[in-house]
Amino acid sequence: MKTLLFNIKELLQIRDEGIQKVAGADMKELPAIKNAYLLVEDEKIIDYGSMQELTDYNADQVIDARGQIILPAWCDSHTHIVYAGNREGEFVDRINGLSYEEIAAKGGGILNSAKKLQNSTEQELFEQSSQRLQEVMQLGTGAVEIKSGYGLSPEAELKMLRVIKTLSKSYPVTIKSTFLGAHAFPALFKDDQSAYIDQICKEMIPLVAAHQLADFIDVFCEKGYFDTEQTAQILETGTRYGMRPKIHVNQFNSIGGIQVGISHNALSVDHLEVMTQDDIDSLKHTEVMPVALPSCSYFLSIPYTPARTMIDQGLPLALATDFNPGSTPSGNMNFVVATACIKMKITPEEAINAATINGAYAMGLSSSHGSITKGKFANLIITKDIPSYNFIPYAFGSNVIDKVMIKGTFI
Ligand code: NIG
Ligand code: FE
């Protein structure tokens, strides 16, 4: 099955095969062809170029994209899409003055979601999560990472991971799975943290690996959650079982989580709302992708990742949603891209690089996703008739997407 898209106003993010990520000043470049065509065969991009070079209009499906911009679908490298119920009560508590940490300290937060999840069947969880996944696909997401971490017991963590696997079999979107048993200490282990670390390392990680349920290992490394020593122990065990680290660090405090991530060969370090110059320096000359989650900063009214400073100092950056019931009940990558431009002062080119090729890198997917490259999946956002790509973050409250293609099929 061949699909030809022609008269494309601008085809964005055209990259050579070898480009895995972009960093520093290179993030300002967004290679593009104006007045372009794009040819898709089955699931893949097979050709593209300028309209002058197009001689053969033969295809099963021919689409005139006059006025429309085409870019790679978003690559959302950090989400918690699988969860049960919502926490809008805590949202109101925060409006009334409680902080995220205070709500967690009185049994709300992650433990509140864990209770709801433990009481849900696998089927209920699948249905709720499917709805969220379908929504984000419509919003232009073509690849997504999903974490466990609301189970906090061997059975419930495995249930979450099985739901992630079923989602990946049920939808065309590419899904990467992360084991986040170390998201919070369950009430049962409040006074014996080392017993929970043992359960994670000796019971959960081996089970998850035996059932091939996770690509990555994550820890919420933060004051009141997991300290750097506990984090290191879990990352070491995860790595031994074939899961590469991708971790939550520096959301509220800088406690050395970035350095633990770097020394354990993390693929990414995520959140980074609170960064010291030392933290930024540590990331230089490493292969670790820093990931910012601006919708989380927006929703919790916490600082934004100092993305401008980080990119100016030569670092790469990826953007992701953090879609979860507590700190970010939104999986809208368009809002993330706009908020990054508006609040972090990064340019539309930098934000689009961060949300496509660098997001793909942060999931280990940059050889197949995140750019317009021959042989990569035809995961595309086709915008409405808009004046320029700057309009995508500028019109932050509008849906500028006309169609989304995932693996060669319009959804
Ligand atoms: O990435 N920070 C840790 N975990 C999630 C939020 C968890 C929750 O509040 O349910 C996050 O923001
Ligand atoms: Fe998160």
Side-chain angles (χ1 to χ4, degrees):
M1 161 92 177
K2 271 192 186 168
T3 302
L4 172 69
L5 297 126
F6 71 104
N7 281 338
I8 302 164
K9 179 181 183 129
E10 196 166 7
L11 182 61
L12 300 183
Q13 187 62 311
I14 297 168
R15 296 282 179 183
D16 286 345
E17 231 176 316
I19 301 286
Q20 300 285 304
K21 62 175 178 342
V22 282
D26 291 343
M27 288 189 71
K28 286 198 169 54
E29 305 295 325
L30 191 62
I33 302 176
K34 289 196 168 136
N35 197 22
Y37 74 90
L38 177 67
L39 189 61
V40 170
E41 184 169 15
D42 301 326
E43 298 192 315
K44 304 276 175 71
I45 295 169
I46 57 163
D47 198 12
Y48 58 80
S50 79
M51 280 303 288
Q52 285 97 325
E53 297 158 350
L54 178 64
T55 47
D56 182 2
Y57 280 75
N58 267 326
D60 305 291
Q61 192 173 208
V62 179
I63 295 167
D64 187 343
R66 195 172 296 267
Q68 300 178 287
I69 291 173
I70 296 186
L71 64 154
W74 305 127
C75 294
D76 186 355
S77 66
H78 181 137
T79 84
H80 311 245
I81 279 180
V82 173
Y83 59 83
N86 286 288
R87 307 219 303 263
E88 69 277 17
E90 293 179 9
F91 167 63
V92 177
D93 288 344
R94 277 192 301 102
I95 294 171
N96 288 325
L98 288 184
S99 71
Y100 180 80
E101 288 102 323
E102 284 165 340
I103 291 167
K106 67 180 188 106
I110 295 166
L111 296 186
N112 183 356
S113 286
K115 208 180 303 157
K116 291 187 211 281
L117 188 135
Q118 287 160 5
N119 293 329
S120 304
T121 65
E122 199 160 321
Q123 184 59 24
E124 287 165 347
L125 204 50
F126 174 75
E127 280 163 19
Q128 290 187 29
S129 309
S130 288
Q131 280 189 8
R132 296 181 199 114
L133 191 63
Q134 288 176 42
E135 186 193 354
V136 304
M137 286 162 59
Q138 300 287 350
L139 290 166
T141 295
V144 64
E145 179 259 17
I146 309 177
K147 300 172 193 299
S148 71
Y150 290 118
L152 307 182
S153 72
E155 316 78 76
E157 283 292 311
L158 256 69
K159 176 168 70 179
M160 282 190 85
L161 291 167
R162 282 195 302 270
V163 169
I164 299 173
K165 195 173 219 174
T166 312
L167 288 170
S168 75
K169 288 191 184 137
S170 312
Y171 294 95
V173 58
T174 302
I175 296 180
K176 286 284 188 175
S177 169
T178 299
F179 172 59
L180 175 57
H183 200 189
F185 285 98
L188 205 65
F189 293 90
K190 198 165 57 90
D191 300 317
D192 191 1
Q193 294 195 344
S194 65
Y196 189 55
I197 306 290
D198 270 0
Q199 189 178 60
I200 290 175
C201 293
K202 297 193 175 135
E203 196 177 336
M204 296 198 210
I205 291 177
L207 263 175
V208 170
H211 292 90
Q212 295 185 316
L213 285 170
D215 303 294
F216 303 112
I217 178 93
D218 193 352
V219 176
F220 185 17
C221 182
E222 182 57 62
K223 277 189 191 159
Y225 294 84
F226 295 81
D227 66 24
T228 50
E229 236 170 85
Q230 295 165 331
T231 302
Q233 195 184 333
I234 293 165
L235 297 188
E236 255 158 52
T237 312
T239 303
R240 245 189 299 121
Y241 282 88
M243 301 168 212
R244 189 157 174 199
K246 257 175 88 62
I247 59 175
H248 283 73
V249 291
N250 293 51
Q251 183 175 6
F252 301 107
N253 299 282
S254 170
I255 60 166
I258 290 178
Q259 292 72 16
V260 174
I262 294 167
S263 63
H264 289 81
N265 189 34
L267 181 58
S268 72
V269 288
D270 303 24
H271 269 290
L272 315 178
E273 288 88 340
V274 177
M275 292 288 278
T276 65
Q277 184 58 46
D278 262 6
D279 290 328
I280 296 177
D281 290 340
S282 305
L283 284 163
K284 292 177 186 168
H285 317 294
T286 74
E287 294 303 310
V288 183
M289 180 61 69
V291 180
L293 311 166
S295 308
C296 175
S297 298
Y298 175 84
F299 189 72
L300 293 185
S301 302
I302 61 174
Y304 287 88
T305 302
R308 183 71 274 143
T309 311
M310 290 162 64
I311 295 173
D312 287 346
Q313 293 191 29
L315 293 184
L317 183 86
L319 288 167
T321 61
D322 199 18
F323 195 175
N324 76 74
S327 72
T328 323
S330 161
N332 188 343
M333 279 295 285
N334 306 283
F335 180 79
V336 164
V337 166
T339 307
C341 293
I342 296 162
K343 294 294 184 183
M344 297 175 171
K345 301 275 180 269
I346 70 174
T347 65
E349 294 82 2
E350 289 169 330
I352 292 171
N353 276 314
T356 55
I357 189 73
N358 284 359
Y361 179 91
M363 293 186 269
L365 288 175
S366 33
S367 14
S368 52
H369 294 73
S371 64
I372 303 297
T373 304
K374 285 180 200 172
K376 282 198 179 183
F377 283 117
N379 283 11
L380 309 172
I381 291 174
I382 297 135
T383 71
K384 295 176 181 162
D385 183 342
I386 56 173
S388 73
Y389 62 75
N390 295 326
F391 195 83
I392 300 171
Y394 164 81
F396 73 94
S398 303
N399 182 0
V400 301
I401 297 178
D402 175 37
K403 290 194 238 354
V404 177
M405 177 182 274
I406 299 184
K407 300 206 173 119
T409 305
F410 288 110
I411 53 135

